[in-house]
Amino acid sequence: MDMLWSGWGDPARAQPLPDTVTGLLRDLLGVKPRDAEPVPLEDIPVPPAPLDAVAHQALVIAVGGAEHVRTDAETRIRHTRGKSTPDLLRMRDGDITDLPAAVVLPARHDEVLAVLRTCAEHGLTLVPFGGGTSVVGGLAPGPRGPFVALDLRRMDRLLALDPVSRTATLQPGLRTPQAEALLAEHGFTLGHFPQSYEWATIGGCAATRSSGQASAGYGRFDEMVLGLTLATPEGTLETGGRAPRSAAGPDLRQLILGSEGAFGVITSVTVRIRPVPQIRRYEGWRFASFEEGAAALRRLAQDGPRPTVLRLSDETETLIGLAQPEAIGSSSAPRTDGCTAVVGFEGTVEDTAYQRERAAAVLSARGGTPLGEEPGQRWVHGRYSAPYLRDSLLDAGAFAETLETATFWSRVPALYAAVREALTGALTDAGTPPLVMCHISHVYENGASLYFTVVSAQGDDPVAHWTRAKHAAGDAILAAGGTISHHHGVGTDHRDWYVREAGALGVDALRAVKRRLDPAGLLNPGVLLPVD
Amino acid sequence: MDMLWSGWGDPARAQPLPDTVTGLLRDLLGVKPRDAEPVPLEDIPVPPAPLDAVAHQALVIAVGGAEHVRTDAETRIRHTRGKSTPDLLRMRDGDITDLPAAVVLPARHDEVLAVLRTCAEHGLTLVPFGGGTSVVGGLAPGPRGPFVALDLRRMDRLLALDPVSRTATLQPGLRTPQAEALLAEHGFTLGHFPQSYEWATIGGCAATRSSGQASAGYGRFDEMVLGLTLATPEGTLETGGRAPRSAAGPDLRQLILGSEGAFGVITSVTVRIRPVPQIRRYEGWRFASFEEGAAALRRLAQDGPRPTVLRLSDETETLIGLAQPEAIGSSSAPRTDGCTAVVGFEGTVEDTAYQRERAAAVLSARGGTPLGEEPGQRWVHGRYSAPYLRDSLLDAGAFAETLETATFWSRVPALYAAVREALTGALTDAGTPPLVMCHISHVYENGASLYFTVVSAQGDDPVAHWTRAKHAAGDAILAAGGTISHHHGVGTDHRDWYVREAGALGVDALRAVKRRLDPAGLLNPGVLLPVD
């Protein structure tokens, strides 16, 4: 199934907002109904593909069939941009300035190499396209003329599984649920559940250093990766695949992870797998304040026992219950004061029981009150629903977007305050004072990530207003010692802040790598790194 | 204190072999007493430093004092090569072909930058020198004319400690015991205990992706590092330091870790720290075979509970008791059949008790027999002694050396057999049939490292014989799907195998980074990467 071209996910799962919520948005944030409906896909005037017949035919040869090189309007529109709110607003307005010339669907590593050669020969740039879920402009290349979207969906196989070593080799176009299903046949799980889980692909998770909602237990995607194959314009780079860890030079896997398609196209990923847990148990906990809850989470992250899932909403997010979007405005919405955490354990019956008991002791000692399994179940049920809610909010004339960062524990309070202040200030200045919510989404021994959700009225120019607010938030993040992204990646939206974060020499080192692997600059120009 | 120039460690701790061992070496391996004593340091004819007065003076200015630029014979000899057995044999013979022109001792990051500029101006190459413990030729640069050894011992401070985030920023010249002492004042430990612990430095551990004996619990050094500062000929590169993990681009920390001085000089390292454990408890376990023991270790590594220390000697190593060198030939040496493992837990009293109990159940179910704390205590007591034993073996006319690798669990048996066969075959062909011992030194969910120790007679040309055996082992490692080094690093000795392991394009990507950071190729030429 294809994702909704101008929004998120399966159109059949769209849910209009309850009237109570619409009323709240109007009264609290001044949200007014949109006066224009989104442009229907079929009404968008799509120019002919800027692809000459020779280049087109060469691409057909590269992927072994005309049906794998698509230039029809619908396919090109469906590969335009990602899923940030500005992306969606532009699509709803029929703005197709980032339209690919063609969508090419290779089935094998050597076909990817052939497409790269063809692009080099014909002066085409290339954007790898997995789930198309980027929220940081990762699919909108710089102004370099016509580009090809390389859709990897045909590369969707489990190539190898080693039950003794607990490793699996996956193709990049596998969506994460497909990967889980294939691994489950052998009794294993990857344990990677980003919010984009239902649409994300393995290659995309690797290219963007994805982090899932169970990262406390299963680790980040970059921690799961044991080996990678990269197709570059200069040939194949294989890395890892010999040992879990090595002292043989810098870890090249960690140079490819997070390269966001700028160095090459990831064509296979060897990952760590684990047995499907016997049980999963998620529970809610209440804390009097975000500060108190964060201190309790820190204790578990540093001294254990480490839950599989560990997240904490701040007071505003707890109140709004955005973590359980389908419950908003209903009688089941949490209406507690304070902050709600979700604490989940997965594993064997015995381990989970022991760890739950000990974690409960730690959380209670730190001021936590157990809320039982119901809030945990509600979170599980709604964990992939927030992007659907965003579509409903946009339909209702509201603006909704997220951004995230991470830092060391001692800096968390100041980072939290600085980002809230930046977002609130910028959007209030724009005449659309926002509601800013936050949760700790991932924890480490040494720090945590902060995930912010902003809801406001759209105002007269929501993309321009948000751009200013986002820039203010980025500046605040860097000033407070945070990273510009903990799991969304860099794309084009974070690039200028990334350059400041990585420093001139760090960026130059990466540019040197890019020039060696992609001397003509075909790959994702302007994504991750500035165009030379 | 300086290390023994032609051997290991503190000369006062040298221990001659018991007569029983000397007899065994003679009877089993044909070891004959050496007919030549090592050349005394003061008898080595050292040529004048090939450093003109202008360059010398510029270096003095760079480090703020003539006493920090040493050109005396003894200091230069003490900075010649590392501590591989061929290194020691060459030093014992008075071979100083790898002598530095000068030893320069900077005290600050900006002095390191000044030294790099001075070297660039005067055509000197530079070898960063930490503990001087490389066993892979990491301190012997290629044939590029005179070089400076940059000894970092004056950079030995704890720069910052954040008890909330549990991070510490350390200077590179701190020896690991000094670092532990400074952290212990605040109740923390780094938990990094390589065999070279008593002499290794923080900078060296970072530059070589060191892994300690407690890596099962504390992780590898590269997993502990949260931030790095690198002084390069092109300026300063700072990376990390904002968050434990980030999705903002490739992980540049992992590009510096393992760069072995080829990209720059590491001038500060921010690491994860943990509370000093309440208790440490190490125990011995016996298994009927290496295979059975390895399966039991795999179970703990994959399903837990994960001990802090987990290692398993094969039948030969168990028999010889090399893991407890001081016990060799004494009545306390283990004389069991089968294989001995050391299983150690560190942490709180409560956690350790629970984990020990559960680990014991797992090990017993997999055929293990508990041997109590005595073998664990013996291992702790002797854990840093093996290099002293090597000196005694060399004195007695024996040859002793180690090498190590790692792979995924399913390949461990074949890798083990292949390396043993390669070493045994090559040294037997040379007329010095060896004793080859092995232990699993580090475990992961997905694989393990194998650490081999070889003892034989020296024969007529031990360096040449070993070089052939080591090459055969390297070829066998790559053919069996292992990595050329799990924790010793690449240096010059492993470089050709590393190039095969990383692949042409991977190596080229690293060369591109080096050219950007070190365009004149001043830094450690021939270490890690081939000279351009």
Side-chain angles (χ1 to χ4, degrees):
Chain A
M1 189 198 337
D2 281 319
M3 179 128 69
L4 176 62
W5 69 280
S6 60
W8 185 262
D10 176 1
R13 282 173 59 189
Q15 285 194 320
L17 294 180
D19 287 345
T20 47
V21 175
T22 312
L24 275 173
L25 290 169
R26 182 188 60 228
D27 299 344
L28 282 176
L29 299 174
V31 170
K32 294 178 203 150
R34 277 173 67 88
D35 45 14
E37 285 293 303
V39 177
L41 186 146
E42 54 275 17
D43 290 359
I44 298 175
V46 173
L51 191 66
D52 68 49
V54 178
H56 189 129
Q57 187 53 30
L59 289 169
V60 167
I61 291 167
V63 292
E67 68 275 28
H68 306 313
V69 179
R70 312 244 179 107
T71 53
D72 62 283
E74 179 176 340
T75 303
R76 290 165 63 203
I77 289 174
R78 287 186 182 281
H79 289 79
T80 301
R81 304 194 185 96
K83 297 295 178 183
S84 72
T85 301
D87 287 345
L88 301 193
L89 290 170
R90 288 193 185 104
M91 295 309 287
R92 283 166 171 248
D93 285 345
D95 172 351
I96 50 163
T97 45
D98 293 314
L99 194 75
V103 178
V104 177
L105 297 100
R108 295 194 312 269
H109 174 79
D110 61 342
E111 291 184 357
V112 175
L113 289 173
V115 171
L116 289 168
R117 279 193 301 270
T118 305
C119 287
E121 283 161 19
H122 294 272
L124 295 163
T125 58
L126 183 141
V127 177
F129 192 101
T133 64
S134 172
V135 292
V136 293
L139 300 166
R144 275 276 180 114
F147 75 95
V148 163
L150 191 78
D151 187 320
L152 295 155
R153 70 179 65 192
R154 292 175 67 212
M155 297 180 69
D156 63 353
R157 290 192 301 132
L158 168 65
L159 296 175
L161 188 144
D162 176 351
V164 172
S165 307
R166 295 191 179 171
T167 65
T169 302
L170 304 167
Q171 285 191 317
L174 268 174
R175 288 199 182 149
T176 33
Q178 290 178 295
E180 285 292 346
L182 291 169
L183 296 173
E185 290 175 18
H186 302 269
F188 289 101
T189 180
L190 181 56
H192 186 64
F193 308 107
Q195 187 166 74
S196 57
Y197 172 72
E198 293 167 319
W199 301 91
T201 58
I202 293 298
C205 290
T208 61
R209 304 184 87 82
S210 173
S211 192
Q213 293 170 348
S215 67
Y218 289 100
R220 302 167 55 85
F221 198 82
D222 49 43
E223 294 173 304
M224 299 175 185
V225 172
L226 301 165
L228 289 159
T229 307
L230 188 74
T232 84
E234 294 290 291
T236 300
L237 195 163
E238 282 197 79
T239 178
R242 290 185 165 270
R245 292 287 178 268
S246 168
D251 191 342
L252 287 171
R253 296 175 295 203
Q254 300 292 333
L255 188 64
I256 309 303
L257 293 161
S259 63
E260 300 194 7
F263 293 169
V265 180
I266 293 168
T267 58
S268 83
V269 185
T270 298
V271 289
R272 171 180 85 192
I273 54 176
R274 289 182 178 170
V276 172
Q278 287 177 0
I279 59 164
R280 296 184 173 89
R281 184 153 171 171
Y282 305 126
E283 293 167 335
W285 282 79
R286 185 192 166 279
F287 293 90
S289 68
F290 192 50
E291 188 183 352
E292 185 183 84
L297 264 59
R298 175 164 72 86
R299 189 54 54 208
L300 287 183
Q302 291 185 334
D303 293 330
R306 175 78 70 97
T308 312
V309 170
L310 192 55
R311 41 199 294 126
L312 171 75
S313 294
D314 72 356
E315 289 85 350
T316 311
E317 187 172 286
T318 299
L319 189 68
I320 298 297
L322 191 69
Q324 300 86 35
E326 77 287 8
I328 284 191
S330 82
S331 60
S332 70
R335 276 290 173 271
T336 58
D337 295 334
C339 295
T340 304
V342 173
V343 183
F345 286 95
E346 302 184 3
T348 63
V349 173
E350 184 199 350
D351 267 359
T352 307
Y354 175 77
Q355 296 198 336
R356 273 189 59 237
E357 185 187 313
R358 284 194 50 230
V362 172
L363 295 173
S364 297
R366 300 266 154 188
T369 308
L371 302 178
E373 289 198 64
E374 195 272 338
Q377 291 303 323
R378 193 145 31 85
W379 175 77
V380 169
H381 179 70
R383 64 197 290 190
Y384 307 127
S385 301
Y388 287 103
L389 176 65
R390 177 177 57 167
D391 284 344
S392 305
L393 289 166
L394 296 180
D395 289 342
F399 176 89
E401 183 56 303
T402 64
L403 61 81
E404 39 79 55
T405 177
T407 196
F408 296 108
W409 283 112
S410 60
R411 297 183 198 159
V412 165
L415 178 62
Y416 172 70
V419 177
R420 274 176 58 89
E421 193 178 307
L423 291 169
T424 304
L427 287 171
T428 302
D429 287 350
T432 53
L435 200 62
V436 178
M437 293 158 274
C438 181
H439 63 266
I440 290 179
S441 60
H442 304 263
V443 296
Y444 303 91
E445 277 181 71
N446 308 107
S449 71
L450 292 173
Y451 189 97
F452 293 89
T453 302
V454 178
V455 180
S456 70
Q458 288 191 9
D460 53 350
D461 189 345
V463 172
H465 294 169
W466 174 247
T467 301
R468 277 200 293 278
K470 171 101 173 159
H471 288 190
D475 291 345
I477 286 170
L478 293 191
T483 177
I484 194 63
S485 176
H486 169 268
H487 57 276
H488 285 167
V490 175
T492 48
D493 294 354
H494 289 154
R495 186 188 57 222
D496 294 349
W497 288 263
Y498 173 61
V499 166
R500 286 156 61 186
E501 177 169 336
L505 207 50
V507 168
D508 267 11
L510 295 177
R511 290 163 84 126
V513 172
K514 181 170 171 70
R515 273 195 291 270
R516 177 61 189 86
L517 302 181
D518 176 25
L522 308 176
L523 284 156
N524 263 3
V527 169
L528 183 68
L529 299 171
V531 174
D532 273 339
Chain B
M1 190 199 333
D2 280 318
M3 179 127 67
L4 177 62
W5 69 280
S6 61
W8 185 261
D10 176 2
R13 282 172 59 190
Q15 284 195 320
L17 295 180
D19 287 345
T20 48
V21 174
T22 312
L24 274 172
L25 290 169
R26 182 189 59 227
D27 299 344
L28 280 176
L29 299 174
V31 170
K32 293 177 205 152
R34 278 174 67 90
D35 45 14
E37 286 294 304
V39 177
L41 186 146
E42 54 275 18
D43 289 359
I44 298 175
V46 172
L51 190 67
D52 67 51
V54 177
H56 189 130
Q57 188 53 30
L59 288 169
V60 167
I61 291 167
V63 291
E67 68 275 30
H68 305 312
V69 179
R70 312 244 180 106
T71 53
D72 62 283
E74 180 176 338
T75 302
R76 290 166 63 204
I77 290 174
R78 287 185 182 282
H79 290 79
T80 301
R81 304 195 184 96
K83 296 296 179 183
S84 73
T85 301
D87 287 344
L88 302 193
L89 290 171
R90 289 193 186 103
M91 295 310 287
R92 284 166 172 248
D93 285 346
D95 171 352
I96 49 161
T97 44
D98 293 312
L99 195 74
V103 178
V104 177
L105 298 101
R108 295 193 314 267
H109 174 80
D110 61 344
E111 291 185 356
V112 175
L113 289 173
V115 171
L116 288 168
R117 279 192 301 270
T118 305
C119 286
E121 282 162 21
H122 293 273
L124 295 163
T125 58
L126 182 140
V127 177
F129 192 100
T133 63
S134 173
V135 291
V136 292
L139 300 166
R144 277 274 180 117
F147 75 95
V148 162
L150 190 79
D151 188 319
L152 295 155
R153 71 180 63 194
R154 291 175 67 213
M155 296 179 72
D156 63 352
R157 289 191 302 133
L158 168 65
L159 296 175
L161 188 143
D162 175 350
V164 173
S165 307
R166 294 192 179 170
T167 66
T169 302
L170 305 167
Q171 284 191 316
L174 269 174
R175 288 198 183 151
T176 34
Q178 290 179 295
E180 286 291 345
L182 290 170
L183 295 174
E185 290 175 18
H186 302 269
F188 289 102
T189 178
L190 181 57
H192 186 64
F193 307 107
Q195 186 165 74
S196 57
Y197 172 73
E198 293 167 319
W199 301 90
T201 58
I202 294 297
C205 291
T208 61
R209 304 185 86 82
S210 172
S211 191
Q213 293 169 350
S215 68
Y218 289 99
R220 301 166 56 85
F221 198 82
D222 49 43
E223 294 173 304
M224 299 175 186
V225 173
L226 300 165
L228 290 159
T229 307
L230 188 75
T232 83
E234 294 290 291
T236 300
L237 194 163
E238 282 198 79
T239 179
R242 289 186 166 269
R245 293 289 179 264
S246 168
D251 191 343
L252 287 170
R253 297 175 293 204
Q254 299 293 332
L255 187 65
I256 309 305
L257 293 161
S259 63
E260 300 193 9
F263 293 168
V265 180
I266 293 167
T267 58
S268 84
V269 185
T270 299
V271 289
R272 170 181 86 192
I273 54 176
R274 291 183 177 167
V276 172
Q278 287 178 1
I279 60 164
R280 296 184 173 89
R281 184 152 169 172
Y282 305 124
E283 293 168 334
W285 282 79
R286 185 192 166 278
F287 293 91
S289 68
F290 193 50
E291 189 183 352
E292 185 182 85
L297 265 59
R298 176 164 72 86
R299 189 55 54 207
L300 287 183
Q302 292 185 333
D303 294 329
R306 176 76 71 96
T308 312
V309 170
L310 191 56
R311 41 200 293 127
L312 172 75
S313 294
D314 72 355
E315 289 85 349
T316 311
E317 188 172 287
T318 299
L319 190 67
I320 298 297
L322 190 69
Q324 298 87 35
E326 78 286 7
I328 285 190
S330 84
S331 59
S332 69
R335 277 292 175 267
T336 58
D337 295 334
C339 295
T340 304
V342 173
V343 182
F345 287 95
E346 302 185 3
T348 63
V349 173
E350 183 199 352
D351 267 359
T352 306
Y354 174 76
Q355 296 198 337
R356 271 189 60 237
E357 185 186 315
R358 284 193 51 229
V362 172
L363 295 172
S364 297
R366 301 266 153 189
T369 307
L371 300 177
E373 289 197 65
E374 194 274 335
Q377 291 303 323
R378 194 145 30 85
W379 174 76
V380 169
H381 179 69
R383 65 196 290 191
Y384 307 126
S385 300
Y388 287 103
L389 176 64
R390 176 178 58 167
D391 284 343
S392 304
L393 288 166
L394 296 180
D395 288 342
F399 176 90
E401 182 58 301
T402 65
L403 61 83
E404 39 79 55
T405 176
T407 195
F408 297 108
W409 283 112
S410 59
R411 297 183 198 160
V412 164
L415 178 63
Y416 173 70
V419 176
R420 275 177 57 89
E421 193 178 308
L423 291 169
T424 305
L427 287 170
T428 303
D429 287 352
T432 53
L435 200 62
V436 180
M437 294 158 274
C438 182
H439 64 265
I440 290 179
S441 60
H442 304 263
V443 295
Y444 303 92
E445 277 182 71
N446 307 108
S449 71
L450 292 173
Y451 190 97
F452 294 89
T453 303
V454 178
V455 180
S456 70
Q458 288 190 9
D460 53 349
D461 189 345
V463 172
H465 294 169
W466 174 247
T467 301
R468 279 199 293 276
K470 170 104 173 159
H471 288 190
D475 292 345
I477 285 169
L478 293 191
T483 177
I484 194 62
S485 175
H486 169 268
H487 57 274
H488 284 167
V490 175
T492 49
D493 295 354
H494 289 155
R495 187 188 57 223
D496 295 349
W497 288 265
Y498 173 60
V499 166
R500 288 157 61 186
E501 178 170 334
L505 207 50
V507 168
D508 268 11
L510 295 177
R511 289 162 84 127
V513 172
K514 181 170 171 71
R515 272 194 292 268
R516 177 61 190 89
L517 302 180
D518 176 26
L522 307 175
L523 284 155
N524 263 4
V527 169
L528 183 67
L529 299 171
V531 174
D532 274 337

